[in-house]
Structure formats: C-alpha cells, structure tokens
Amino acid sequence: MEEMKKEINLDSILDSLGPYGRYNLLNYVLLLFPVLLSSFFECGFIFEAQEQIYRCEVNGCEHFSDTSWQSYAIPMNEKLGKLESCKMYKPLNGSDFQCLRENFLNETILCDSYIYENNNSLVKEFSLGCEDWKRALVGTIHNCGMFVAMLFTGAVSDRFGRKVAVGFAAGSSLLFGFSRAFSPNYLTYVALHFLEAAFGGGLYPSAYVFIVELVGLKQRVFVSAMCNMTFVIGVVLIALLAWCIDNWRTYIMILYAPAVIVLVYIWFMNESARWLLSKGKREKAISVLKKAAKINNLDPRQLELESLGDPLLKAESQTTDKKSQFYKAVRSSIIWKRLIICSFLWMTCSLVYYGLSINSVSLSSNRYVSFMLVTLVEIPAYIVVVIVLDKYGRKRTLMTTFIICGITMLLFSFLPRSDYWSIPLYLLAKWAVTLSYSSVYIYVSEVFPTNMRQTLISMCSMAGRIGSLVAPLTPLLSLYHKSMPTVIFAGMASISSMLVLMLPETKNMRLPDTIEEAEALSKRRNKN
C-alpha cells in the first residue's frame, strides 16, 4: 500500500490523462494564442519605430517635378551612396531666390525641416528627422519595461494563479498598447510603451509556465518547442503585417486588438492543478483533474485521484508556506547558487542572441524579407532541441551548444572575412545560441519548486533583460575593433559552458514541488 501511494503523484496522473487528449489539445490552443500575441507585443516596436528615408526640405525647389536640383542643393553621402539626410548646401538670401546652381554656396548647413518617404510613419508624425537617438530609445524603453515586468508578473502568478497572470498581462497589453496608437506626441508614446511592457511583458512566461504544468515530465521539451515555434511564427507575421500596413497607428491597433479574445476566454479556463496543489488547494486540484478526465472520456476513478499526495499538505509544509516560501528560498545556499548561475546563462543567451541579430548583415535589400529570414533560421534549432534534450540530457546539450557558439564566434572574429565561411559561421552561432536559449528556458522551469517557480524564473529573466538592454550598444564596440562584439559573445558563451557543470541534470525528473525537492536535485547530480 505504501508503495502504491508513492506512485500516485501529479506527474503520473498527467501521464495517465495523456498529453494529446482533448483536454490538453484545447488548452494548448488557448495558451499558445497568448504566446503568439506576446511575439507581437515584444517585437512589434521594431517596425513601429523603424528607420525612415528622409532628406532636407529645400524651400523654393520642392515644387519642381524634376529632381535634378538635388545634385547641387543637397550633398551626397559618398559612404552610403545616397543624399545626406540632415545637411543641405546653404542657399543665398534674397526675396527673389530661384532654385539654380549658382544660388547655393559650397557650404553645408543643418536642415530646418524634412521631406519623408513615408508620410504615415512615426518618425514623420513626431518630427524625429535627424534625431535617431529618440527612435532608437523606443527599444531601450520597451526593454526597461520588460525588465520590470519579469518580477512583477512572477509575483502575481505565484500568488494569485497562472490564469490570473495571463489575464492580467493580456489586459495590460491591450490597455496600454492599444492606447499607444492614439498618442498625440512622442513623450506620451514612450510612456505608454514603458507601461505596456512593464505590466504586460510577462505574458509569454506566464503562458509558458501554465502550459508546461499541464503535462508530465516526458512532454516538457515538446511543449516548450511548441511555444518557441509559435513565437517565431508570430515574429514572421509581424514582418508581413508591417510590409502590408505602412500606417504605424493602424499597425499597432491590428497587433493589440486580438488581446480582447484572451480576456474573454481566460477566465473560463481551469487553473493549473500543479499550482493549486502547491497552495494546498487539493480539493480544487482534484476537481480540475476530474474535469480533464471527463473531457478525455476517462473514468476519474481509474486515476485514483483520492490517493493524490502532495508534500505541501503536511502540517510542517503548510506552516512554512504561511511564513513565506520566499524567505526559505533566500536561506537556501543551493537555490541561491542555482539562481545566480541560471541568471548568468539567461543573460548570456539574451546578449548573444539579440547581439547577433543586431550585428548581422542584411540578407537582402528588402528589410522585411531580411527580418523574416533571420527569424526563420531559428526553426531548425527548435526542431533539434526536441530530440537532443531528451536523448542527451539538459547539461550535455547546454554545454555543447554554448561551446559551439563560442568556437564559431572566435573563428568568425579572427578568420579573414569571406562569404564562403563567414556567413555559415555566423548562422551556425545564431542556431547554437537559439538552441541554448530554448534549453535554458526549459531547464530553469525544472530546477525551481512549484510554489516559487514563476518568481525565480522571473528573476532569471530579469537578468536576461540586462543582456537585451546591452545588446543594442554592442555595434558601438566595433568602432574600436571590428571583432570586439563577437569576441565578447564568444567569451560569455565559453564561461556559461563551464558554469553548466555546477548544475544538476533534470532529464526524466519530475518537477520539484517544494524547496526540499528542488534541493534534492543537486544531491542526485553525481548519480546522473
């Protein structure tokens, strides 16, 4: 009898329900939709505030249909092979000014006003001509908001539940994101950007944790791959939408309007049974599992739900939970070490992943096609991760991919630049870091206890946001040496590969529900 009770745990019940039953398939669809929307909300700003083509407005010349006057009114930027955006030749003063070559001095001045190629762009409406720092600041402000969101949403998720966290993030994104389409000026626009990211930026991690807790240990990698692939599809759709819609306000409204759908159905979904158990709500968890069994046409009695055990139901665990699981986590040296290492791994992945994207050379003359191609490179990594994580384990996969990334970046840095090996090396590094990123996300969700999982994942993700904040600055390092950014990427990846050795293997281990179970993973490290 004692042996039977040990076998009745949530993971075995989830395996009995089946990962591809009607209940889970329905929940996959309902939770992958917020994942898709999170790609819109996290990456949409790239095309909202994209670079625009513009030049100086030359009074007295603009009414001519023939543009030959531009050759003597506006200097040519020889390096870029186009007209200067911010300078023009100084015109002679006089009321009878005519747009002739002799009426312009061989002296340049800064523009007072500009002619934009796209009159429906954010740059045009907010008069950001020759103020590229304001346009670039949009991404930085967005990432600052995401930095705040990681801990904020984690606390909501662990305290109030997974579906509350998803609903809160979706509602916040809709409110502040959709409102941004009606911004009257630049300051209002960036303020709404920060608020939307700060309160709604946790949509992806909240939906991800929710969907991972639906399945047993054997399906975690597959579910994670589904989330990643859905995110990639969303990013590609952003490029297609931006290609078709040139009005930035319309573009924003189309991106954020679908969040209404999430707000309608999320409150009718069942809460995560694992989260309910972590809070000692055993009866509610059993009720959720019975509903799942009925939808899958299974007899709930076959699952032996009444024998479902959970460590948090012990009196000692309940007392500890009331005193604060977070306080107990702070006192655990094992959890602290794991948190610091996982945070560094996440920061490395963010820095290298976004750094490679920002420093990459366009693959075509069309910015939208280039963006889609760079994004689609990630798909092979998400396919491979499903195979290698379960076959070779988390630690081997992480060490191997970090090493591949480090070596390819070093080779790219010091070998003579050539299309024959430079581009393949660069793409291989992007593939490797994408695989690492996906693996880290899965791994981090497996080494922390259920009652603190979202909060600790959010803390790791906050460290990752530091990497994404620094990544846009890495191109400036190439002014000192063209290979400095990639050398830094290689160094970070190499350090990360060594730090992985200090972490436990989680292959075929059920998710830890308490801090004690999470600590026990390290004690099994030498046996795996």
Side-chain angles (χ1 to χ4, degrees):
M1 177 65 75
E2 184 67 25
E3 187 68 27
M4 182 185 299
K5 288 183 179 180
K6 289 182 180 179
E7 294 178 357
I8 304 302
N9 56 55
L10 183 58
D11 283 303
S12 63
I13 290 175
L14 292 176
D15 287 336
S16 299
L17 284 172
Y20 311 114
R22 284 190 294 179
Y23 179 78
N24 270 13
L25 291 177
L26 175 62
N27 280 281
Y28 291 159
V29 173
L30 296 179
L31 291 173
L32 286 177
F33 186 61
V35 169
L36 181 74
L37 294 185
S38 70
S39 69
F40 295 175
F41 306 158
E42 289 189 31
C43 302
F45 74 90
I46 295 174
F47 293 110
E48 279 179 44
Q50 62 182 311
E51 185 179 5
Q52 297 294 325
I53 297 175
Y54 54 87
R55 60 169 176 79
C56 294
E57 181 179 16
V58 183
N59 295 325
C61 297
E62 298 296 342
H63 61 280
F64 290 106
S65 57
D66 181 13
T67 59
S68 59
W69 57 267
Q70 294 179 1
S71 62
Y72 53 78
I74 304 175
M76 178 68 70
N77 186 318
E78 299 296 340
K79 186 177 181 180
L80 299 178
K82 66 176 185 177
L83 296 175
E84 286 282 1
S85 299
C86 305
K87 297 178 181 179
M88 59 177 285
Y89 288 117
K90 185 176 181 179
L92 293 174
N93 293 325
S95 58
D96 57 344
F97 174 82
Q98 293 183 342
C99 190
L100 301 173
R101 184 182 297 273
E102 55 267 24
N103 288 335
F104 289 90
L105 300 176
N106 192 25
E107 176 186 346
T108 60
I109 59 173
L110 297 178
C111 310
D112 293 325
S113 56
Y114 306 90
I115 298 296
Y116 296 87
E117 185 178 71
N118 181 4
N119 289 322
N120 294 316
S121 68
L122 178 144
V123 175
K124 164 68 167 60
E125 285 201 37
F126 294 154
S127 301
L128 302 183
C130 293
E131 292 185 302
D132 272 355
W133 66 271
K134 286 186 177 181
R135 184 182 59 79
L137 192 62
V138 172
T140 302
I141 290 175
H142 181 86
N143 282 325
C144 286
M146 293 293 292
F147 185 88
V148 174
M150 293 304 100
L151 188 58
F152 185 86
T153 307
V156 172
S157 179
D158 283 336
R159 182 169 183 178
F160 300 105
R162 308 318 191 202
K163 73 175 186 179
V164 171
V166 173
F168 177 80
S172 299
S173 296
L174 175 64
L175 175 62
F176 296 115
F178 199 83
S179 298
R180 196 165 70 245
F182 303 94
S183 301
N185 53 57
Y186 176 78
L187 289 178
T188 303
Y189 171 79
V190 293
L192 288 172
H193 235 305
F194 177 82
L195 291 172
E196 183 260 313
F199 290 99
L203 184 59
Y204 181 91
S206 297
Y208 175 85
V209 170
F210 199 163
I211 200 169
V212 164
E213 292 183 347
L214 284 172
V215 297
L217 59 91
K218 294 181 180 179
Q219 285 78 41
R220 291 180 213 152
V221 176
F222 176 75
V223 165
S224 179
M226 282 200 307
C227 291
N228 291 328
M229 297 282 278
T230 302
F231 194 91
V232 170
I233 292 171
V235 175
V236 172
L237 289 177
I238 290 173
L240 289 173
L241 178 63
W243 197 354
C244 299
I245 306 295
D246 63 353
N247 187 302
W248 71 277
R249 295 183 187 273
T250 304
Y251 167 79
I252 291 177
M253 288 189 281
I254 293 175
L255 284 184
Y256 285 88
V260 174
I261 300 173
V262 178
L263 288 178
V264 170
Y265 70 71
I266 191 66
W267 310 112
F268 296 99
M269 292 184 65
N270 292 316
E271 182 55 87
S272 163
R274 192 180 295 277
W275 178 83
L276 290 170
L277 283 174
S278 76
K279 294 299 180 181
K281 301 179 180 180
R282 183 172 178 274
E283 294 305 317
K284 288 185 178 180
I286 290 176
S287 176
V288 168
L289 293 171
K290 285 182 177 179
K291 291 178 182 178
K294 290 179 180 178
I295 293 175
N296 287 352
N297 292 324
L298 295 175
D299 186 349
R301 291 173 296 182
Q302 295 177 344
L303 301 179
E304 300 182 80
L305 295 175
E306 299 305 323
S307 300
L308 177 63
D310 189 271
L312 282 181
L313 295 178
K314 296 179 181 179
E316 182 180 349
S317 294
Q318 285 184 330
T319 303
T320 302
D321 187 53
K322 291 178 182 178
K323 288 182 177 179
S324 171
Q325 286 290 317
F326 185 75
Y327 177 69
K328 189 171 183 180
V330 168
R331 295 174 59 190
S332 171
S333 59
I334 294 176
I335 297 296
W336 260 113
K337 183 179 76 171
R338 200 172 293 171
L339 177 63
I340 291 171
I341 294 176
C342 288
S343 296
F344 186 86
L345 298 183
W346 205 312
M347 182 170 62
T348 298
C349 289
S350 294
L351 176 63
V352 179
Y353 177 86
Y354 291 110
L356 288 177
S357 299
I358 292 168
N359 287 276
S360 64
V361 179
S362 297
L363 299 178
S364 73
S365 58
N366 187 305
R367 70 179 70 177
Y368 305 105
V369 172
S370 298
F371 186 82
M372 286 186 282
L373 290 176
V374 170
T375 303
L376 291 172
V377 169
E378 302 173 25
I379 290 181
Y382 296 137
I383 295 174
V384 171
V385 76
V386 176
I387 302 171
V388 297
L389 278 182
D390 282 336
K391 186 173 183 179
Y392 300 106
R394 280 52 164 162
K395 289 180 65 173
R396 287 184 184 179
T397 300
L398 282 169
M399 284 189 290
T400 303
T401 52
F402 277 129
I403 290 172
I404 291 174
C405 182
I407 292 175
T408 52
M409 280 292 90
L410 285 175
L411 291 174
F412 179 85
S413 300
F414 297 110
L415 286 177
R417 297 294 167 88
S418 169
D419 290 345
Y420 290 107
W421 56 69
S422 294
I423 293 178
L425 284 173
Y426 203 90
L427 293 178
L428 181 58
K430 178 71 184 299
W431 172 85
V433 76
T434 300
L435 208 157
S436 297
Y437 215 158
S438 179
S439 302
V440 165
Y441 216 112
I442 296 170
Y443 183 78
V444 170
S445 68
E446 295 177 333
V447 294
F448 295 126
T450 299
N451 46 31
M452 291 297 298
R453 183 171 298 122
Q454 181 73 63
T455 298
L456 295 175
I457 287 177
S458 295
M459 293 177 72
C460 293
S461 188
M462 283 181 68
R465 285 296 159 186
I466 296 175
S468 62
L469 284 171
V470 174
L473 304 177
T474 55
L476 298 177
L477 297 175
S478 60
L479 298 176
Y480 300 95
H481 192 285
K482 64 178 182 179
S483 298
M484 188 175 290
T486 49
V487 169
I488 291 175
F489 299 156
M492 293 284 285
S494 300
I495 294 171
S496 295
S497 66
M498 292 184 286
L499 288 176
V500 172
L501 292 170
M502 302 172 66
L503 295 171
E505 177 58 76
T506 58
K507 176 185 175 184
N508 294 329
M509 297 285 185
R510 72 182 186 89
L511 290 177
D513 291 315
T514 66
I515 291 174
E516 290 80 7
E517 289 181 3
E519 290 177 331
L521 291 174
S522 293
K523 298 175 183 177
R524 302 191 189 104
R525 187 174 63 191
N526 295 329
K527 297 180 181 180
N528 292 311

